[in-house]
Amino acid sequence: MMTIGLNHFLIVSGLLFCFGIFGMMTRKNAVMVLMGIELILNSANINFIAFAKYGNFGYHGQMIALFVIILAAAEAAIALAIVLNIYKNFATVNVDEVNNLKE
Amino acid sequence: MSEYQIIVFSLFTLFAPLVGFLVTIFWGKKFKSMYLFEVAVITLVLLASIAVMVVKLGYLTDTKIVSEFAWISLGNLPVLGEFNLTLGIMIDNITVIMMFVVSLISTLVHYYSIAYMKGDKRYNRYFAYLGIFTFSMMGIVLTHNILMMYIFWELVGLSSYLLIGFWYEKKSASDAGKKAFIVNRIGDVGMFAGIMMLFITYHTFTFDTIFENISNGILPFNSDFWLTITGLLLFCGAIGKSAQFPLHVWLPDAMEGPTPVSALIHAATMVAAGVYLVARIFVMLTGDALLIIAVVGALSALIPATIALTQNDIKKVLAYSTISQLGYMILALGVGSFVYGFFHLITHAFFKAGLFLGSGSVIHSMHHEQDIQKMGALRKKMPITYVTFVLFSIAIAGVPLTSGFLSKDGILAGTYAFGLLTGQWIFAIVGFLVAMMTAFYMFRLVILTFHGEPRDPHKFEHAHESPLLMTIPLIILASLSVFVFYTANPVDAEGGWFLSKWVKTPETVVPQSARYSFMVSDAETITHQEKVVHSISYSEALHHAHMPAIFLSLFLAGLGILTAFLFYQWKKLNADKLVANIKPLYNFSYNKWYIDELYEATFLAFTMGLSNLLAWFDQKIVDGIVNGTATVTRFFSRFIGGFDTIVVDGLVNLFAYMSGMLGLILRKLQLGKVQAYIVLVIFSLVILVFLFTNLQL
Amino acid sequence: MQQVPLLSLITFLPIIGMIIILFLPKNNDKVIKALTLAVTGIQVILGIVIWRFYDYSLGGIYNQATFQFVEKFRWIEIPSVSWLGTIKIDYFLGIDGISAPLILLTAIITFVATLASWNIKTSLKGYFALFLLLDTGMMGVFVSLDFFLFYIFWEVMLLPMYFLIGIWGGPRKEYAAIKFFIYTLLGSVFILLAMIGLYLSATETLADGSKVFTFNMLALMNSENYTHDGILSPLNPNNFRLLAFLALFVGFAIKIPMFPFHTWLPDAHVEAPTAISVILAGVLLKMGTYGILRINYPMFPEITHQLAWWIAMFGMINIIYGALCALAQKDFKKLIAYSSVSHMGFVMLGMASLNTAGISGAVFQMFNHGTITAMLFIIVGIIYDRAHTRGINDFGGLANQMPIYTGFVTIAFFAAIGLPGLSGFISETFVFLGAFHVESIRLITVISTLGILLGAGYMLWTLQRIFLGELNPKWNTLNDLTFREYAMLVPLTIIIIVLGIYPSLMLDLMNSSVNTMVEFLLKSPVSFSGL
């Protein structure tokens, strides 16, 4: 039987990270970009917990993961509110079209 | 009547007219006949002053009643010492006589004005003004100190200003009022300086205290000279108020006022205030001061008399005659003839008031025509006015049996005696000359106005005798111009009750060294029981002078009257031809010696020129410097500001500009595409990771 | 009355009024006016209360015990400031016979000026707020006995004045306001310099025995309080006291205004609204002479003696020069402004006499000039409100059109001329009597008497040109006085007449203080030079 070790976790988290980055870079919809960010955060969470399990750090990893989840929730709330406002003002959520600050 | 009651009555005569003024001025608009209140008040004042006079002259002849109260008491001051100013009244014989004269003439003028001013739109206000005048004049008469006299002096000036300018719609009237006030002020400035001199020397203003100090040898700056100066400074006030040369110019112009006012103020009472002042301070005048006063009096008697010869305005003639007569009084005081100076003040008050009221009667009936060239033959139309006017004229000309003869003769005798004693005959010569001229111009006036043929038939047609309210005052004044009121002897007043009992020359207090030589008490006088003011030699000289003076003055007055008749009544001499022969002289007299023009060209032009110059100086130079400083400062600040903008701010802006340029370049990197940023971040991250870690691929 | 802080009350009451006004809604015109009137009215009542409880026998000037209604407590205390040591400044109020008349004057004039402000139309709220602030400043100057406090009030008064002229003034208001402001500020700088010099030269001993520098005016008057090396100490042989005296004098002289620093006055008066002219002439000019009497005289007695002749000389120049300039004016308000210059000259002449009659006359003249000139400016305001012109030659014959107004004008004019029976006469007489008593300035006094002659000249001429003669038909629609105008003129007229007939009301009030001042000046030079 193949034991699931640290490397498996890291591979999963690396894949998640890459999907996240990919999503952020390719999607123009702001909500999608946000979802990419969530993926990146979760890949980081997996890393924290994996190192906590296999390393000798006590429960600090789990705690930080919890903290990140809470932070992500708050961040999502604010970000979605911003997206909503952007939609109100510009009638679009396409991040490329929102470039008023440029000029 | 006790002394206390006399004081109460006198205070009543002082303050009642003030009440009359206040009531009439405040309620005059509401009630059309408010003036009757003022008339009633003034009548009561007359009764009160008669009562005071009778009691004082009859029973208390030699007492002097003083009543005073503290007005400003500051106590004992550092540097100055005691500083307490009192107000108060002093009642002696000349006070009560003046009180009577003022209130009598004032009352007569009030009644006369009821008819004369009828129909004037400011009827009530006119009577109110008469009230405040009477108040102020009573103040001058009653006061016991020089400061209070100055106070009322100025108030008299105010009421005179108001009354001269009563018809202020006429520019000439308001001009005349202003001129009167300002010319009077010139004299008052001098008088005020005199008051200051008295104050710093004696720290009091009360006449009696000052005189007592002088007789104790306390003099201003310890010298006779400064006592003379002080006396003369005070006399300046009299020059102004009594219209003496060279400040006489206001009086003829003052004739712009209503004629009853001229009678009251500018003939009988106010102008006499100056003489009254000199009489009050007579005892402190040194010989030198008296001599200068005599010179002023003589000039004032002579110059206006020559002017009066040629004037054609009935009031102007009387005005110049008034100045001339006032000059007589001042001259009399100046030569030491105190009693006759004061006597002439009283007699003149009556007959000159009468003359003015008579002329007012003429003017009234001629519909405000004042030019005697357009009158004539009025004697048939207005007999009462005519008779009284002639009586006044012979009084002023000095015909026997009149009061004027007595007083004028006394003055002439005084100047004659002065000539005898000192050898200075000039005063006597002027006196007699003026007497002749007076007789001439007065009869010229009478003849042109009342005799001959009417020269303006139209106006003559409408002429009529004035109402009783106007003629009765004339009759009363005419009766007072007869000798019997003053003495029983028609040719010599000296023994009469007026001069022997009521009015006496006060004893001078100036040091013996500063007196006229004939006023120094000599050995003989000291032996006399009563105080004799003049030396025996003076009495003798006066006695010697008396007879020649009578005959000479009679002769000259007769000559003057005769000449007037020759010229204007009988036409034996042709006045026009004479005028043509002495044209320059005539013009000189007709144009009043060009004195007004002279003043206008010198003092007035100088003051106005200086004032305009200073105003220009103020605006252009003083303010110019201020504004110039501001301009220089602004210029400098602009320069600094320029430096600031260009150099200092330039540097700052340069940095800002450079930052801006840099920003412009760098902003190109900002694409505004989120994905691009993310790629950039990740790419940079990867590079950084490779650079800063030892990760080997 | 010692318990009630009357002086603080009378000084800060307007500030309270101002704060209330600032909280009121903007267009509440009637309430704002009524409130201001009430505040100034209460001030008058307080002034009368102070006057009733004032003890005539106490002298004041240099002795705190003889000052009245004294309020004194520590205001600012900063311990151990580098080399200065402890800075201690007192809140020190008190009055004596020199300031008491001026407090009365300020209260009365402000009240009258409030009535004169009734016609202000634009930004009423701001106007009355500034007006009340000005009131506090003026009152404060007259009651403070601490130099620092004095200076603060002096400056407090300046700013509202600038805005009052600059916003509510005539066509050239900006020019006039800035001229007034800069001129007065220049004076303030001089005062500030001298004040700091004095502060650093004198010490006061506190209760615990320590010595600190002091702004206390009374301490500054005592030569024993000065340090040995202070630059303004009489004990220091190389002192700069003459210079400090001159600095203070110039600072105050600008306010009087003394020739040649007087040119701001005509401009400010002509451009200022009526009420502000009234205050300017009625109260502000007095601050100059008051400052000299309160500060220059007792703090520099020896220099006062040295320079008295010059003060008299400038007084004479003011009298004659002002009168001659007035004679040439064609603008009614400018004429009155120049007559102010002339009349303030009498104050200086009286002060220079250094004796009781002269100084009493000077203080009395300050009061009288305040009331008389206030009346004159109200008179100008009344005619300007109706005719919208001030050109003297534009008028004529108004006596028939506005008889009651003419009556008041006549009283005011004759009061200004110095007619007996009206208050101006008494003060001028006292000034002349006092000044003539001093030998060195006797000639100056005699020449100054020409001022009363010229005064009669320009006043009567103006009276003639405006009121006498035929009525110009242009003006036959002008109305006589309204009730509000009566309310302004009648009280002032009554004051002028009552003080003219019974001047002791005012003279007794100031007598013992003036005596104290004269005695203080008399004995001081000896002790100062002997040190």
Side-chain angles (χ1 to χ4, degrees):
Chain A
M1 188 183 149
M2 186 182 140
T3 34
I4 296 172
L6 177 63
N7 284 344
H8 301 97
F9 285 102
L10 292 182
I11 288 164
V12 172
S13 91
L15 281 173
L16 266 178
F17 184 79
C18 289
F19 290 149
I21 293 286
F22 181 76
M24 275 172 69
M25 288 200 303
T26 53
R27 299 295 173 149
K28 299 202 168 168
N29 190 319
V31 179
M32 291 304 186
V33 176
L34 275 178
M35 287 170 73
I37 294 172
E38 292 299 317
L39 288 181
I40 293 169
L41 287 174
N42 280 327
S43 80
N45 276 352
I46 291 172
N47 267 11
F48 273 122
I49 294 169
F51 282 114
K53 166 108 172 120
Y54 295 99
N56 194 16
F57 306 113
Y59 292 102
H60 289 183
Q62 280 90 332
M63 277 174 64
I64 298 252
L66 276 174
F67 196 64
V68 170
I69 289 167
I70 293 163
L71 212 74
E75 178 244 316
I78 290 170
L80 283 172
I82 292 173
V83 170
L84 218 59
N85 264 327
I86 288 176
Y87 182 73
K88 260 190 194 160
N89 284 327
F90 299 93
T92 176
V93 285
N94 189 337
V95 288
D96 281 2
E97 289 172 30
V98 184
N99 56 0
N100 268 19
L101 269 180
K102 195 181 165 188
E103 293 307 319
Chain B
M1 211 187 219
S2 67
E3 288 190 11
Y4 174 73
Q5 278 158 323
I6 287 186
I7 290 168
V8 172
F9 269 63
S10 307
L11 287 176
F12 173 77
T13 62
L14 177 59
F15 287 109
L18 181 65
V19 174
F21 160 72
L22 292 174
V23 170
T24 317
I25 198 108
F26 280 120
W27 282 282
K29 268 207 141 51
K30 222 174 203 169
F31 304 105
K32 278 276 161 286
S33 24
M34 206 63 228
Y35 69 93
L36 287 175
F37 178 79
E38 167 66 25
V39 174
V41 162
I42 210 74
T43 315
L44 287 177
V45 167
L46 173 64
L47 294 177
S49 60
I50 289 176
V52 169
M53 181 176 75
V54 168
V55 174
K56 175 73 177 68
L57 295 182
Y59 305 102
L60 300 162
T61 321
D62 293 323
T63 44
K64 184 190 258 179
I65 304 163
V66 175
S67 166
E68 61 181 15
F69 73 96
W71 182 41
I72 299 173
S73 36
L74 298 184
N76 196 0
L77 304 182
V79 185
L80 297 175
E82 282 293 327
F83 190 97
N84 298 310
L85 305 186
T86 54
L87 292 185
I89 58 173
M90 174 176 72
I91 301 161
D92 57 12
N93 289 353
I94 66 172
T95 310
V96 292
I97 293 169
M98 278 298 282
M99 265 168 75
F100 169 70
V101 171
V102 171
S103 55
L104 175 71
I105 295 178
S106 181
T107 310
L108 294 178
V109 164
H110 273 76
Y111 282 101
Y112 183 94
S113 303
I114 293 175
Y116 187 86
M117 297 297 285
K118 188 133 257 160
D120 196 277
K121 58 182 167 181
R122 291 187 288 272
Y123 200 59
N124 281 329
R125 202 193 291 180
Y126 171 81
F127 283 93
Y129 287 169
L130 288 184
I132 195 175
F133 169 75
T134 313
F135 163 69
S136 344
M137 192 63 210
M138 281 296 182
I140 292 185
V141 171
L142 280 166
T143 178
H144 87 315
N145 74 64
I146 185 83
L147 184 71
M148 187 170 154
M149 186 179 257
Y150 181 79
I151 290 174
F152 284 102
W153 198 261
E154 290 286 307
L155 288 178
V156 161
L158 168 73
S159 33
S160 158
Y161 169 79
L162 293 173
L163 282 165
I164 294 171
F166 186 71
W167 288 318
Y168 51 72
E169 284 89 350
K170 274 196 294 179
K171 183 157 190 312
S172 55
S174 62
D175 272 341
K178 185 182 66 181
K179 184 172 177 182
F181 195 89
I182 292 173
V183 173
N184 266 310
R185 265 263 157 133
I186 297 173
D188 295 349
V189 167
M191 181 176 170
F192 191 75
I195 293 175
M196 292 194 291
M197 292 283 288
L198 289 178
F199 174 77
I200 61 161
T201 320
Y202 306 110
H203 291 119
T204 178
F205 297 112
T206 316
F207 287 123
D208 287 343
T209 323
I210 293 170
F211 298 156
E212 201 182 307
N213 275 316
I214 297 176
S215 69
N216 290 339
I218 304 170
L219 302 179
F221 306 122
N222 288 320
S223 81
D224 295 349
F225 173 73
W226 284 104
L227 185 63
T228 308
I229 295 292
T230 309
L232 287 176
L233 284 172
L234 292 174
F235 175 65
C236 284
I239 295 182
K241 197 106 316 186
S242 286
Q244 295 297 290
F245 180 83
L247 296 183
H248 65 280
V249 289
W250 66 269
L251 188 61
D253 288 23
M255 295 302 134
E256 288 292 339
T259 309
V261 168
S262 309
L264 174 62
I265 301 186
H266 308 118
T269 54
M270 182 185 94
V271 288
V275 182
Y276 184 77
L277 168 69
V278 180
R280 270 272 170 260
I281 61 167
F282 182 76
V283 295
M284 60 165 282
L285 295 170
T286 60
D288 294 339
L290 283 173
L291 194 64
I292 291 171
I293 288 172
V295 169
V296 171
L299 285 174
S300 310
L302 183 64
I303 294 173
T306 61
I307 297 174
L309 293 175
T310 57
Q311 298 301 310
N312 285 328
D313 183 319
I314 183 166
K315 286 181 79 181
K316 284 270 161 72
V317 176
L318 293 177
Y320 281 107
S321 134
T322 305
I323 303 172
S324 172
Q325 296 300 313
L326 289 166
Y328 255 138
M329 300 169 205
I330 296 287
L331 172 63
L333 293 169
V335 296
S337 185
F338 175 89
V339 285
Y340 286 108
F342 186 72
F343 188 29
H344 196 58
L345 166 59
I346 304 300
T347 58
H348 172 260
F350 292 133
F351 59 66
K352 187 49 72 60
L355 281 170
F356 268 104
L357 291 183
S359 77
S361 176
V362 170
I363 293 167
H364 190 65
S365 82
M366 293 290 283
H367 297 278
H368 294 270
E369 178 58 64
Q370 301 195 1
D371 191 345
I372 50 175
Q373 301 283 14
K374 298 197 173 123
M375 297 175 183
L378 284 175
R379 121 182 98 137
K380 295 160 201 153
K381 288 268 183 173
M382 15 195 357
I384 303 176
T385 309
Y386 170 64
V387 171
T388 51
F389 203 90
V390 168
L391 190 64
F392 298 134
S393 299
I394 60 171
I396 197 174
V399 173
L401 302 184
T402 61
S403 60
F405 169 75
L406 296 174
S407 55
K408 186 180 267 187
D409 178 58
I411 292 174
L412 293 175
T415 55
Y416 195 99
F418 189 77
L420 282 177
L421 288 164
T422 61
Q424 281 162 329
W425 287 96
I426 186 73
F427 297 123
I429 294 168
V430 168
F432 285 107
L433 204 60
V434 172
M436 187 176 82
M437 286 195 277
T438 309
F440 174 78
Y441 66 68
M442 281 318 296
F443 274 84
R444 172 176 175 266
L445 188 65
V446 170
I447 293 162
L448 285 178
T449 312
F450 292 100
H451 294 191
E453 296 306 314
R455 280 178 290 272
D456 186 341
H458 178 68
K459 283 202 166 138
F460 180 74
E461 279 303 306
H462 293 90
H464 54 85
E465 180 58 284
S466 301
L468 279 182
L469 268 176
M470 287 167 70
T471 47
I472 288 175
L474 289 176
I475 294 167
I476 295 173
L477 289 171
S479 61
L480 282 168
S481 302
V482 180
F483 71 96
V484 289
F485 287 94
Y486 311 96
T487 170
N489 181 351
V491 291
D492 188 357
E494 210 182 345
W497 47 84
F498 191 93
L499 297 182
S500 65
K501 280 181 71 183
W502 296 348
V503 180
K504 291 173 190 157
T505 309
E507 192 182 15
T508 180
V509 293
V510 299
Q512 301 249 346
S513 57
R515 296 181 193 180
Y516 276 142
S517 56
F518 58 80
M519 288 172 100
V520 176
S521 326
D522 43 29
E524 289 173 78
T525 18
I526 295 162
T527 60
H528 282 65
Q529 281 299 311
E530 55 183 313
K531 282 181 178 171
V532 174
V533 180
H534 293 119
S535 64
I536 294 298
S537 58
Y538 183 76
S539 312
E540 281 169 1
L542 202 58
H543 195 70
H544 287 307
H546 197 67
M547 276 300 142
I550 284 183
F551 288 116
L552 202 54
S553 75
L554 264 181
F555 170 71
L556 289 170
L559 192 64
I561 295 171
L562 185 70
T563 326
F565 270 90
L566 282 173
F567 269 117
Y568 299 103
Q569 177 79 12
W570 303 319
K571 306 265 164 71
K572 296 284 176 205
L573 296 169
N574 190 339
D576 295 334
K577 205 183 255 172
L578 182 67
V579 165
N581 284 338
I582 52 164
K583 196 75 189 166
L585 272 179
Y586 175 81
N587 279 342
F588 196 56
S589 155
Y590 186 75
N591 290 310
K592 304 145 195 175
W593 290 39
Y594 299 101
I595 291 172
D596 274 317
E597 284 78 3
L598 180 75
Y599 288 171
E600 239 157 69
T602 51
F603 299 116
L604 199 60
F606 173 74
T607 310
M608 290 313 293
L610 188 66
S611 132
N612 284 326
L613 179 74
L614 281 185
W616 174 85
F617 174 78
D618 195 61
Q619 201 152 31
K620 300 289 173 205
I621 310 291
V622 181
D623 207 27
I625 291 172
V626 174
N627 285 336
T629 317
T631 313
V632 169
T633 315
R634 281 223 306 269
F635 177 77
F636 189 67
S637 68
R638 198 169 294 156
F639 176 73
I640 296 285
F643 179 80
D644 196 59
T645 327
I646 295 163
V647 182
V648 181
D649 210 28
L651 278 175
V652 174
N653 284 341
L654 189 66
F655 280 113
Y657 182 72
M658 281 163 67
S659 315
M661 285 310 288
L662 206 63
L664 270 180
I665 296 164
L666 291 178
R667 68 180 276 196
K668 295 280 194 289
L669 293 175
Q670 307 292 336
L671 298 170
K673 294 196 193 316
V674 180
Q675 275 83 6
Y677 297 157
I678 296 169
V679 173
L680 202 65
V681 167
I682 307 253
F683 186 67
S684 322
L685 199 67
V686 170
I687 290 176
L688 285 175
V689 167
F690 276 99
L691 278 181
F692 292 104
T693 57
N694 296 325
L695 202 68
Q696 305 286 316
L697 284 180
Chain C
M1 294 307 284
Q2 213 52 34
Q3 293 78 27
V4 188
L6 269 176
L7 293 183
S8 292
L9 210 58
I10 201 172
T11 308
F12 292 107
L13 190 70
I15 287 273
I16 299 169
M18 182 188 86
I19 291 167
I20 298 174
I21 282 181
L22 289 179
F23 280 110
L24 283 174
K26 207 169 197 160
N27 42 11
N28 224 342
D29 292 2
K30 276 192 180 152
V31 179
I32 291 174
K33 282 182 190 172
L35 185 76
T36 313
L37 195 64
V39 166
T40 49
I42 296 171
Q43 245 186 336
V44 173
I45 294 167
L46 285 176
I48 293 169
V49 169
I50 288 175
W51 180 40
R52 289 319 305 159
F53 285 91
Y54 185 86
D55 183 350
Y56 285 14
S57 63
L58 296 178
I61 304 296
Y62 65 94
N63 184 354
Q64 194 191 324
T66 55
F67 270 90
Q68 304 184 37
F69 306 99
V70 173
E71 294 165 35
K72 185 177 185 183
F73 51 84
R74 189 71 73 227
W75 176 33
I76 297 173
E77 184 159 2
I78 311 170
S80 340
V81 182
S82 64
W83 54 273
L84 275 174
T86 304
I87 292 181
K88 281 181 173 162
I89 298 170
D90 285 337
Y91 177 80
F92 186 14
L93 307 183
I95 55 170
D96 61 4
I98 308 249
S99 40
L102 295 169
I103 286 171
L104 274 175
L105 177 74
T106 311
I108 294 164
I109 295 298
T110 321
F111 179 73
V112 171
T114 312
L115 286 172
S117 314
W118 228 246
N119 285 348
I120 297 288
K121 293 277 185 295
T122 49
S123 23
L124 213 80
K125 186 172 158 181
Y127 177 88
F128 280 104
L130 287 169
F131 183 86
L132 288 173
L133 182 62
L134 175 68
D135 189 4
T136 291
M138 297 186 302
M139 238 1 144
V141 166
F142 292 131
V143 296
S144 45
L145 290 179
D146 187 276
F147 208 155
F148 192 78
L149 198 61
F150 175 91
Y151 187 78
I152 287 178
F153 281 121
W154 183 273
E155 294 294 305
V156 161
M157 161 219 65
L158 187 57
L159 201 69
M161 204 67 194
Y162 170 70
F163 286 113
L164 287 168
I165 298 175
I167 298 177
W168 289 272
R172 287 172 75 227
K173 57 194 176 187
E174 287 89 358
Y175 170 73
I178 203 86
K179 194 168 178 181
F180 165 80
F181 188 80
I182 291 183
Y183 231 135
T184 319
L185 205 62
L186 179 74
S188 304
V189 171
F190 284 120
I191 297 171
L192 183 68
L193 278 176
M195 176 175 101
I196 293 171
L198 283 167
Y199 175 71
L200 296 177
S201 309
T203 57
E204 191 181 14
T205 314
L206 297 180
D208 59 7
S210 62
K211 289 193 166 195
V212 291
F213 288 131
T214 182
F215 280 119
N216 183 337
M217 286 191 195
L218 308 187
L220 291 174
M221 291 171 196
N222 189 345
S223 57
E224 288 163 13
N225 285 335
Y226 283 88
T227 55
H228 281 273
D229 50 356
I231 51 162
L232 297 184
S233 165
L235 310 175
N236 182 353
N238 305 318
N239 64 47
F240 293 91
R241 286 173 66 81
L242 181 66
L243 217 57
F245 182 95
L246 288 177
L248 281 170
F249 187 79
V250 168
F252 292 129
I254 287 173
K255 205 64 164 205
I256 293 177
M258 186 185 86
F259 175 88
F261 307 117
H262 66 280
T263 53
W264 62 267
L265 185 80
D267 283 315
H269 270 311
V270 168
E271 300 308 324
T274 302
I276 302 310
S277 287
V278 168
I279 291 207
L280 195 57
V283 183
L284 254 67
L285 306 191
K286 314 299 169 298
M287 289 181 181
T289 40
Y290 173 77
I292 293 174
L293 275 179
R294 170 69 69 216
I295 291 170
N296 278 33
Y297 271 38
M299 290 186 199
F300 302 90
E302 81 285 15
I303 297 167
T304 305
H305 278 276
Q306 271 176 37
L307 296 185
W309 188 87
W310 287 100
I311 299 177
M313 190 66 192
F314 275 104
M316 181 195 88
I317 292 175
N318 258 35
I319 294 171
I320 304 288
Y321 184 87
L324 282 171
C325 282
L327 201 56
Q329 297 308 318
K330 293 188 175 58
D331 181 315
F332 196 2
K333 213 168 182 184
K334 223 168 190 170
L335 181 130
I336 306 295
Y338 275 108
S339 84
S340 267
V341 174
S342 180
H343 285 135
M344 290 308 282
F346 288 114
V347 179
M348 292 173 64
L349 181 64
M351 287 190 327
S353 73
L354 304 183
N355 60 37
T356 311
I359 296 180
S360 283
V363 180
F364 197 25
Q365 170 79 357
M366 287 190 220
F367 188 90
N368 292 336
H369 175 260
T371 48
I372 294 169
T373 311
M375 198 164 160
L376 290 172
F377 277 114
I378 290 171
I379 281 164
V380 179
I382 288 173
I383 195 70
Y384 185 71
D385 280 350
R386 285 166 172 67
H388 302 290
T389 175
R390 284 187 307 253
I392 295 174
N393 294 327
D394 296 347
F395 293 102
L398 290 186
N400 283 336
Q401 186 65 30
M402 310 168 72
I404 298 171
Y405 174 64
T406 311
F408 281 110
V409 174
T410 313
I411 293 174
F413 274 26
F414 275 99
I417 295 173
L419 188 82
L422 304 172
S423 56
F425 169 74
I426 309 288
S427 47
E428 280 176 20
T429 306
F430 266 63
V431 163
F432 282 131
L433 290 180
F436 197 73
H437 208 277
V438 182
E439 198 175 345
S440 58
I441 61 173
R442 199 164 281 153
L443 189 65
I444 291 175
T445 313
V446 171
I447 297 171
S448 300
T449 52
L450 286 178
I452 60 178
L453 181 62
L454 293 168
Y458 63 76
M459 281 299 184
L460 292 186
W461 195 27
T462 311
L463 196 67
Q464 182 190 24
R465 284 182 290 174
I466 296 183
F467 296 97
L468 308 183
E470 286 292 344
L471 179 69
N472 185 341
K474 196 160 58 160
W475 306 123
N476 61 13
T477 53
L478 301 187
N479 302 321
D480 216 331
L481 300 183
T482 64
F483 176 74
R484 181 179 62 85
E485 287 156 354
Y486 271 113
M488 293 188 280
L489 292 174
V490 169
L492 293 177
T493 312
I494 290 174
I495 291 172
I496 289 171
I497 293 176
V498 167
L499 287 182
I501 294 167
Y502 192 62
S504 296
L505 278 179
M506 217 23 94
L507 289 172
D508 287 349
L509 179 68
M510 57 184 89
N511 188 34
S512 62
S513 283
V514 174
N515 283 342
T516 314
M517 165 90 82
V518 172
E519 273 162 2
F520 184 73
L521 291 176
L522 263 188
K523 67 171 195 261
S524 292
V526 184
S527 65
F528 266 78
S529 61
L531 283 162

